[in-house]
Amino acid sequence: QVQLVESGGGLVQPGGSLRLSCAASGRIWNIGTMGWYRQAPGKERELVADITSGGGTNYVNSVEGRFTISRDNANNTVALQMNSLKPEDTAVYYCEARILLYSSTRYSIYWGQGTQVTVSS
């Protein structure tokens, strides 16, 4: 019923930039908080940044000042601009959204398929 499709991952050198995008589609009535998570090999999935429908943002300390999350409510998209990338940012990045469907009375959590970000020289 709902799809979250990510794009924008890839290989970048340390200090470089990437922009991730995620588009939600389906029978969507409303989207609440949207976020980006990441999971590095051998580690647990962690929240990178999230943004409320009103534009309030939250970042994990390790990306504060380097990453910027934004969203377009009219188009049901969320983006993550990543600057000054470091090797430790290497991970699979996942889009997540809390979505209320036309057929539902409560929000449910949906995930994208993930996109690989590799920071290496």
Side-chain angles (χ1 to χ4, degrees), residues 28-33 53 71 97-101 104-110:
I28 297 170
W29 176 253
N30 187 258
I31 302 180
T33 298
S53 57
R71 67 187 283 171
R98 298 170 187 265
I99 296 175
L100 179 65
L101 301 180
S104 182
T105 57
R106 63 183 181 89
Y107 288 81
S108 296
I109 296 174
Y110 293 88

Side-chain angles (χ1 to χ4, degrees), residues 47-68:
L47 173 67
V48 177
D50 61 21
I51 182 168
T52 67
S53 57
T57 59
N58 174 53
Y59 297 91
V60 67
N61 286 343
S62 60
V63 307
E64 189 85 49
R66 299 188 296 122
F67 291 10
T68 303

Side-chain angles (χ1 to χ4, degrees), residues 1-112:
Q1 287 181 310
V2 171
Q3 273 194 315
L4 296 182
V5 179
E6 299 134 338
S7 60
L11 172 65
V12 64
Q13 292 186 342
S17 298
L18 282 175
R19 183 177 177 85
L20 305 182
S21 297
C22 173
S25 62
R27 294 183 54 79
I28 297 170
W29 176 253
N30 187 258
I31 302 180
T33 298
M34 304 182 81
W36 289 95
Y37 288 70
R38 66 186 179 187
Q39 187 166 20
K43 295 188 176 181
E44 293 188 353
R45 189 174 297 190
E46 66 168 351
L47 173 67
V48 177
D50 61 21
I51 182 168
T52 67
S53 57
T57 59
N58 174 53
Y59 297 91
V60 67
N61 286 343
S62 60
V63 307
E64 189 85 49
R66 299 188 296 122
F67 291 10
T68 303
I69 189 170
S70 60
R71 67 187 283 171
D72 180 344
N73 290 332
N75 293 302
N76 294 336
T77 60
V78 62
L80 186 68
Q81 177 66 42
M82 305 184 293
N83 298 329
S84 302
L85 282 160
K86 304 176 181 180
E88 51 263 42
D89 295 318
T90 295
V92 177
Y93 284 69
Y94 297 90
C95 172
E96 178 253 26
R98 298 170 187 265
I99 296 175
L100 179 65
L101 301 180
Y102 278 102
S103 58
S104 182
T105 57
R106 63 183 181 89
Y107 288 81
S108 296
I109 296 174
Y110 293 88
W111 293 90

